[in-house]
Amino acid sequence: MKEHNIRDLADCCYLRTLCVLSVKKIGIALLLSIVIPFSVIHAEDKKENYTHATQKTTAETLELSRDTVKPSYVLQQIDGAELAKVKDASFVNSLTGRLAGVTINSVASGMGGANKVLWRGYRSFMGTNNVLYALDGVPMLRLEPDQLSDIYSGAGQTGDGISFLSADDIENVYMLSAAAASVLYGSQSANGVMMIDTKKAHPGKFSVNVGNSTTFSSPFVMPEFQQTYEAMWGDKLRNKSSWNPVDFFRTGHCINNNLSVSYGNEYNQTRFSAAMMNNAGIIPNNDVDRYNLSLRNTSSLLNHNLKLDVNLKYAHTAEQNMLSQGMYSNPLLPVYLVPDILLRHDETSYPGGTFLPGYTYKDYFERYDSELGANVQYWPDGDRGLGMQNPYWVINRNMFNRKKSRLLAGISAAYKIASWLDVSFSAHYDHDSETGTQKFYASTIPQLAGRLGSYYENKAGIGQLYSNLVFNVRKSVGDFSINAHLGTSFRNATFDYTDAGGNLRSLNNFGLSDLEDDLSFLWKREYIDRNTATFLLAQFGYKQWFSLDLGGRCEWLDFRMDDTSLFSGKCFYPSMGVSVVPTEWMPGNRGTFLSYLKVGYTYSENGNSSELRLPLGRRDRVDDERLKNNIWDNERTKTHEVGLNMSFFNNKVDVDAKIYKSSTLGLFLGMPHTVVSAGSTVYLVADDNSIENKGIELSLGTNMYLGPVKWNGRFVYSLNKNEIKKLNGLTYQGEDTNLSPEELTTFRNKYCSVKVKEGGSIGDVYVSDFERDAQGNAIVRDGTYIRQSENAVYAGNVNPKYTMGLVNNFAWKGLELGFVINARFGGIGVSLTQETMDAYGVSENVAAAREQGGVWVNGELMEARNYYYSSVGTMYVYDATNIRLAEMSIAYHIPVNRWVKWIQDVRVALVGRNLLMLYNKAPFDPESTASTGTWYQGIDFFRQPSYRNMGFSVNLTF
């Protein structure tokens, strides 16, 4: 193993941050990632490095210079090769179960959807709680889509800002500690920072890599349906029905093709890559295609004193009909509730024609209407109060399309002025252009479309300039050393949003030029988010066993809307860390039982600036109210962390344990509130609130041989306790109200609500319950119904109590076996899907109750229909505990090189994701989610099933 320390990184000028010039602004900024004061482990032989996650806690300090003393920024790292073994449309899904402290939930919008990535709990009511991604050290635009907040929406979703990146371009991924993130990213860092290094060419190697990964998808977890009785509480069937909602889904696929070419000598290295991903979701007519190009050149000039790095990336993505859940434009409601849809029927007549014998709703989802002069929807069942439509009309005539183009360009340079001093500069430009359209054909339900159809179009043009300048000083005097880094950074992000649409003037003539003027709307906003910062970081070391790190970052913020400054301010974020390596005092102990021991403490302050979400159409105007109430002010998180890192048996086993406590202060809570007497909605604000998170992270790793078999494994454990410590009274336009925050809910319907309460946690769910007697038994009225209580009861929290991940890789004579088991313990979910299925009499629960003659309640036998018609939320709360085989691959390296010398390697593999659910009691996948937001977690309302993927991959290296 070889460890590169801060001096190595600076001397070799490994520029971790690329970047760019903007045509609009020239910014000056701090590039810290080339000099981050932490150690990085690299395997000497890449082919032998099967590590899933490498904790940066090396036990080989004794073989290195005194500058390799580890500072207090403890990290976790994953090799990019691990992310490419079992490819997914989004590489973030491959991180599941591999990182301690990180919870990853896929949005249930199918292939290419966004991911909710939570690090150490929730810290904000109104801002984002997802991690910040930094690509080659540059903070990326989050591009998070609008948060769902009701049971009606969920169609027309999109991927997030990181989903454009190809796994084949990733060198490694790692999490920064809170202290390191504080200095590097300040007001963007409170939710954690996930660093992503991309690949580059290396000197002396010409290499060509070609790969293909093909997987096939099917629903992973679905509700149980009955085939014994007719739907809507009909009679018992003589023979079991052939109806099975699984038949509606198709076999999806994800096809990844990639090519990379790299060549380099001592002075110049170039890498080019291209990737193509074509996805077909399990819901028909849901498709996602993505095309990536990447070019990177690094060069060394002036006797290696000047290093240059130029990078260019482009991605084009086309998305169609991405659905997570919800009522409108969701084909799953009628598929789950109306068995007739998937069954064949006798000949049927309708005005103007006759269906042939054996017709299905799929064959005749539309028919010609002579009066309208066009095909219209065939759906004789009506919307049933649930916005139902013919599901085949929905997938073909309620069209949600989105096209995205992403360009990232960067240049960086580093010059070595003297042996103890160097300077680096980089600039990076990131631009995202998106156009989303919604087309609702004539005869779509009136909640969505006018008589002649409706059309909506939203555009987003988002750009970011990030530039930096940093001076690095490294000096040693005897046993003492100092590394100091002084720099400045500039970030300018522009957001240009336009949203327009309405009912059409001409039949199905989709375009903004053909809207009914009195029904159309136009919403347009331009925002500028500017951040200028200076920072200083100093690391003091003594011999190889002591390190003291002091840092501070000062930022000047400016947020503008339509060229008017709405918020400006100044923030300072201090950080410090101290670490001791006791094994340096025991030289005779190295290499025996205890190979390495480090104890560290860090303190940091991090900010969470409010970032705009990507609007997906027909946007409300809540953002304007937030701005009026000054909710864009930064939130501040103070974190204390104690870490213990150990290695045993000559580095064959390593242990990394952390205990942390974070307090987030100055939180805003703002929500719309309906005033019944006035018939209007106002926006109420609670100011200066606070949240606390406390937790434990544990990682246990192995890297050894079991006879001839190389075994690399890792076990991770994470526990987090979230508590709302302080909630202040609500105000309206600065005036106090008689309402308390507990009277506001972030989500509510007849069965459940998500509330905020002092002493509670973010994600607390309250549900309706039966009226009960003194003994707690439900009170049955006249043997026919159970009255609902007026008071909701606490059901639990949607977040897990703790999570575990087990990753194992085995290699033997060209054979490889790898698997990931991911487990979540605790937390709850509420299934409104199950409730609606029970009410319609189509669930297996109903069939079982009818077979038993009814349901016993408090000593009385109720008819099944009466019982389920009296349903309350407590009946549909499920334990979210689940254990799954999240990933598996079996590979073989064919030794073609023995016969064909110009082929270096051929690797073939069988791969799978979500192969087996080992334990789960919920009728849905508890790890899927409706959105990346904070307040709509754990609520299932006809959510699209998560995917089980199985397939193969082939990779050739020349």
Side-chain angles (χ1 to χ4, degrees):
M1 304 288 286
K2 182 179 180 181
E3 181 178 270
H4 300 290
N5 65 0
I6 188 173
R7 170 173 287 184
D8 297 329
L9 294 177
D11 290 346
C12 297
C13 298
Y14 285 2
L15 300 177
R16 296 294 185 192
T17 304
L18 305 175
C19 293
V20 213
L21 229 27
S22 164
V23 279
K24 293 184 177 180
K25 294 274 185 184
I26 300 262
I28 302 176
L30 156 66
L31 168 60
L32 191 58
S33 51
I34 65 169
V35 291
I36 297 175
F38 53 71
S39 55
V40 181
I41 294 181
H42 294 282
E44 292 180 355
D45 187 352
K46 270 278 192 183
K47 294 182 179 179
E48 288 298 314
N49 182 19
Y50 299 105
T51 304
H52 287 281
T54 303
Q55 301 294 326
K56 306 197 177 208
T57 55
T58 181
E60 301 182 10
T61 308
L62 106 106
E63 299 177 5
L64 304 169
S65 70
R66 66 171 60 95
D67 293 328
T68 63
V69 174
K70 285 182 55 59
S72 305
Y73 307 123
V74 181
L75 310 176
Q76 300 177 80
Q77 177 174 307
I78 297 177
D79 195 310
E82 291 302 310
L83 307 180
K85 284 185 176 180
V86 183
K87 288 184 182 178
D88 191 86
S90 175
F91 79 90
V92 177
N93 290 321
S94 299
L95 298 172
T96 301
R98 287 186 161 97
L99 291 170
V102 179
T103 303
I104 299 174
N105 301 107
S106 299
V107 175
S109 53
M111 293 286 189
N115 288 276
K116 181 176 179 61
V117 183
L118 190 67
W119 183 64
R120 295 184 176 179
Y122 292 93
R123 297 173 179 81
S124 179
F125 293 122
M126 305 300 297
T128 181
N129 281 290
N130 293 311
V131 300
L132 172 72
Y133 298 100
L135 187 65
D136 293 317
V138 177
M140 294 185 63
L141 295 167
R142 282 193 167 96
L143 302 180
E144 295 178 15
D146 271 342
Q147 177 176 345
L148 303 183
S149 58
D150 54 53
I151 65 171
Y152 304 103
S153 55
Q157 294 296 297
T158 185
D160 53 12
I162 197 62
S163 60
F164 85 99
L165 190 62
S166 171
D168 297 291
D169 290 332
I170 297 176
E171 183 70 26
N172 51 59
V173 177
Y174 48 94
M175 290 297 300
L176 283 182
S177 70
S182 171
V183 178
L184 277 168
Y185 304 108
S187 61
Q188 293 182 286
S189 65
N191 299 312
V193 179
M194 183 175 289
M195 303 284 285
I196 303 168
D197 290 341
T198 59
K199 293 179 179 178
K200 60 182 179 181
H202 298 283
K205 293 183 179 181
F206 177 79
S207 178
V208 177
N209 292 276
V210 180
N212 170 271
S213 172
T214 301
T215 57
F216 302 95
S217 306
S218 60
F220 185 38
V221 179
M222 288 188 64
E224 295 183 353
F225 303 88
Q226 63 95 358
Q227 299 170 313
T228 307
Y229 295 85
E230 293 180 358
M232 292 303 296
W233 301 95
D235 296 333
K236 187 171 184 178
L237 300 170
R238 292 184 179 181
N239 300 307
K240 282 194 173 184
S241 171
S242 61
W243 168 66
N244 188 350
V246 175
D247 296 337
F248 171 77
F249 299 98
R250 66 179 177 180
T251 299
H253 65 253
C254 179
I255 302 174
N256 275 280
N257 293 294
N258 65 279
L259 166 70
S260 66
V261 180
S262 62
Y263 174 72
N265 55 35
E266 182 181 356
Y267 300 98
N268 193 284
Q269 307 88 38
T270 301
R271 181 181 186 272
F272 167 79
S273 69
M276 178 174 64
M277 181 194 72
N278 302 108
N279 297 304
I282 59 176
I283 293 180
N285 216 21
N286 162 222
D287 303 290
V288 179
D289 298 311
R290 187 182 70 217
Y291 306 91
N292 293 76
L293 294 173
S294 176
L295 178 65
R296 185 173 185 179
N297 175 267
T298 55
S299 56
S300 178
L301 306 172
L302 304 178
N303 294 323
H304 300 294
N305 287 321
L306 176 63
K307 305 285 185 175
L308 299 178
D309 194 336
V310 180
N311 196 321
L312 182 66
K313 289 182 175 64
Y314 176 76
H316 177 78
T317 306
E319 302 167 341
Q320 179 168 281
N321 292 350
M322 296 184 70
L323 165 78
S324 60
Q325 67 176 36
M327 180 182 296
Y328 295 136
S329 297
N330 186 347
L332 300 186
L333 273 84
V335 168
Y336 285 8
L337 301 178
V338 185
D340 282 354
I341 289 172
L342 301 179
L343 300 177
R344 293 197 173 273
H345 302 271
D346 296 333
E347 180 177 325
T348 299
S349 296
Y350 65 90
T354 302
F355 290 156
L356 299 176
Y359 83 93
T360 66
Y361 278 78
K362 179 180 180 180
D363 300 328
Y364 296 100
F365 72 85
E366 61 183 359
R367 60 182 176 82
Y368 184 76
D369 185 297
S370 57
E371 180 181 347
L372 193 62
N375 286 336
V376 297
Q377 176 178 191
Y378 175 70
W379 183 244
D381 295 334
D383 72 357
R384 301 193 180 190
L386 291 172
M388 281 196 204
Q389 304 180 80
N390 187 316
Y392 298 99
W393 174 270
V394 170
I395 63 178
N396 290 287
R397 298 294 182 259
N398 288 186
M399 299 299 296
F400 297 81
N401 293 91
R402 195 167 195 87
K403 291 186 177 180
K404 305 192 285 189
S405 295
R406 188 83 178 268
L407 175 66
L408 298 93
I411 184 170
S412 59
Y415 183 70
K416 188 174 183 179
I417 300 173
S419 60
W420 55 273
L421 176 65
D422 63 66
V423 60
S424 63
F425 170 80
S426 76
H428 179 96
Y429 184 65
D430 181 356
H431 187 267
D432 177 73
S433 178
E434 304 192 14
T435 299
T437 61
Q438 302 174 15
K439 300 176 182 179
F440 301 107
Y441 284 70
S443 74
T444 295
I445 57 174
Q447 294 93 323
L448 300 177
R451 179 176 176 273
L452 302 179
S454 295
Y455 177 74
Y456 298 89
E457 179 178 295
N458 59 86
K459 292 186 177 181
I462 305 172
Q464 175 182 271
L465 168 70
Y466 181 86
S467 57
N468 49 64
L469 177 70
V470 60
F471 291 89
N472 310 301
V473 177
R474 302 164 303 279
K475 195 71 175 178
S476 297
V477 179
D479 292 333
F480 297 91
S481 64
I482 179 173
N483 290 347
H485 316 285
L486 174 65
T488 180
S489 71
F490 177 81
R491 173 181 175 268
N492 190 78
T494 58
F495 304 81
D496 188 356
Y497 296 146
T498 302
D499 189 6
N503 294 340
L504 297 175
R505 183 186 300 117
S506 302
L507 178 64
N508 295 335
N509 185 21
F510 299 108
L512 296 179
S513 61
D514 199 49
L515 298 179
E516 292 183 2
D517 292 339
D518 58 334
L519 294 178
S520 62
F521 72 88
L522 174 66
W523 183 84
K524 185 175 183 178
R525 284 290 183 269
E526 293 182 2
Y527 300 98
I528 297 176
D529 187 4
R530 187 171 296 156
N531 181 314
T532 305
T534 60
F535 93 98
L536 174 65
L537 177 66
Q539 174 193 0
F540 304 92
Y542 176 70
K543 292 187 176 180
Q544 300 180 25
W545 60 267
F546 178 79
S547 174
L548 173 65
D549 302 280
L550 300 175
R553 180 182 179 93
C554 188
E555 295 184 344
W556 291 265
L557 308 175
D558 186 17
F559 186 85
R560 296 172 176 267
M561 182 178 72
D562 299 334
D563 208 29
T564 300
S565 181
L566 297 174
F567 170 77
S568 61
K570 178 182 176 181
C571 303
F572 179 71
Y573 300 104
S575 65
M576 63 84 64
V578 60
S579 59
V580 178
V581 185
T583 44
E584 292 301 315
W585 308 334
M586 303 174 289
N589 188 53
R590 297 195 186 103
T592 57
F593 172 72
L594 180 62
S595 308
Y596 180 81
L597 171 64
K598 191 197 85 166
V599 181
Y601 164 79
T602 62
Y603 170 79
S604 65
E605 296 186 15
N606 305 71
N608 186 21
S609 59
S610 295
E611 293 192 27
L612 298 171
R613 290 182 175 270
L614 190 66
L616 298 181
R618 290 198 272 182
R619 182 181 177 86
D620 60 27
R621 284 24 177 221
V622 171
D623 274 343
D624 293 349
E625 295 293 336
R626 292 179 182 177
L627 292 169
K628 290 176 184 177
N629 288 280
N630 196 28
I631 301 183
W632 300 104
D633 199 359
N634 272 7
E635 301 162 350
R636 181 176 294 265
T637 298
K638 300 180 179 181
T639 303
H640 299 266
E641 178 180 323
V642 176
L644 176 67
N645 311 109
M646 297 180 289
S647 293
F648 301 91
F649 308 114
N650 198 25
N651 308 321
K652 291 183 174 64
V653 178
D654 64 83
V655 177
D656 182 8
K658 304 183 188 73
I659 300 176
Y660 62 86
K661 175 184 176 182
S662 67
S663 299
T664 305
L665 311 174
L667 291 172
F668 287 90
L669 172 62
M671 295 177 190
H673 177 71
T674 301
V675 181
V676 179
S677 59
S680 62
T681 298
V682 298
Y683 202 76
L684 304 181
V685 173
D687 192 7
D688 196 25
N689 309 296
S690 63
I691 294 175
E692 181 180 272
N693 285 278
K694 295 185 290 186
I696 299 172
E697 297 170 2
L698 176 66
S699 178
L700 173 65
T702 61
N703 188 7
M704 64 180 70
Y705 281 90
L706 302 175
V709 178
K710 183 172 180 58
W711 173 39
N712 181 273
R714 186 152 299 277
F715 169 79
V716 295
Y717 170 88
S718 307
L719 179 148
N720 183 80
K721 172 61 177 176
N722 175 275
E723 183 180 356
I724 300 171
K725 300 293 288 187
K726 178 183 177 184
L727 276 181
N728 286 318
L730 293 165
T731 62
Y732 173 63
Q733 295 183 347
E735 299 293 332
D736 291 336
T737 69
N738 294 324
L739 295 173
S740 70
E742 295 178 28
E743 295 182 62
L744 290 182
T745 59
T746 60
F747 170 81
R748 173 185 290 171
N749 76 348
K750 175 183 176 183
Y751 298 96
C752 63
S753 59
V754 180
K755 295 185 178 183
V756 289
K757 180 179 180 181
E758 189 168 293
S761 302
I762 290 182
D764 283 346
V765 176
Y766 291 77
V767 295
S768 59
D769 192 15
F770 294 125
E771 189 179 68
R772 299 181 181 275
D773 59 24
Q775 288 72 41
N777 300 311
I779 301 175
V780 181
R781 303 290 182 178
D782 302 325
T784 58
Y785 74 99
I786 313 174
R787 182 179 296 174
Q788 180 175 316
S789 172
E790 295 180 357
N791 300 318
V793 297
Y794 177 68
N797 191 277
V798 299
N799 298 295
K801 292 182 178 178
Y802 57 93
T803 61
M804 296 181 183
L806 177 64
V807 183
N808 275 297
N809 266 356
F810 301 91
W812 176 72
K813 294 184 178 180
L815 285 171
E816 296 177 358
L817 170 64
F819 64 87
V820 179
I821 295 177
N822 190 50
R824 161 196 173 126
F825 296 89
I828 59 100
V830 179
S831 179
L832 303 181
T833 306
Q834 189 68 46
E835 182 280 325
T836 312
M837 288 172 51
D838 288 349
Y840 271 69
V842 297
S843 69
E844 182 60 32
N845 290 345
V846 167
R850 295 181 72 177
E851 288 293 300
Q852 296 171 6
V855 179
W856 287 95
V857 180
N858 196 14
E860 296 189 43
L861 183 63
M862 288 186 64
E863 183 183 344
R865 179 188 302 190
N866 292 333
Y867 176 75
Y868 285 108
Y869 278 178
S870 303
S871 62
V872 291
T874 51
M875 297 168 56
Y876 301 104
V877 176
Y878 296 89
D879 182 6
T881 298
N882 68 93
I883 306 172
R884 73 186 64 205
L885 179 59
E887 182 180 304
M888 187 172 183
S889 65
I890 302 174
Y892 180 62
H893 292 266
I894 303 175
V896 178
N897 186 252
R898 296 179 183 177
W899 310 287
V900 184
K901 298 301 181 183
W902 53 276
I903 300 180
Q904 298 300 314
D905 184 36
V906 176
R907 182 182 184 274
V908 295
L910 297 176
V911 298
R913 184 178 302 281
N914 280 342
L915 290 176
L916 183 63
M917 185 67 82
L918 302 175
Y919 180 88
N920 179 39
K921 296 300 183 181
F924 57 91
D925 185 350
E927 297 304 296
S928 69
T929 181
S931 78
T932 61
T934 301
W935 299 109
Y936 199 47
Q937 305 299 314
I939 310 296
D940 162 43
F941 186 73
F942 292 89
R943 185 184 301 169
Q944 181 180 177
S946 54
Y947 287 20
R948 173 187 281 117
N949 300 327
M950 293 184 288
F952 60 88
S953 66
V954 180
N955 293 276
L956 292 83
T957 303
F958 303 96

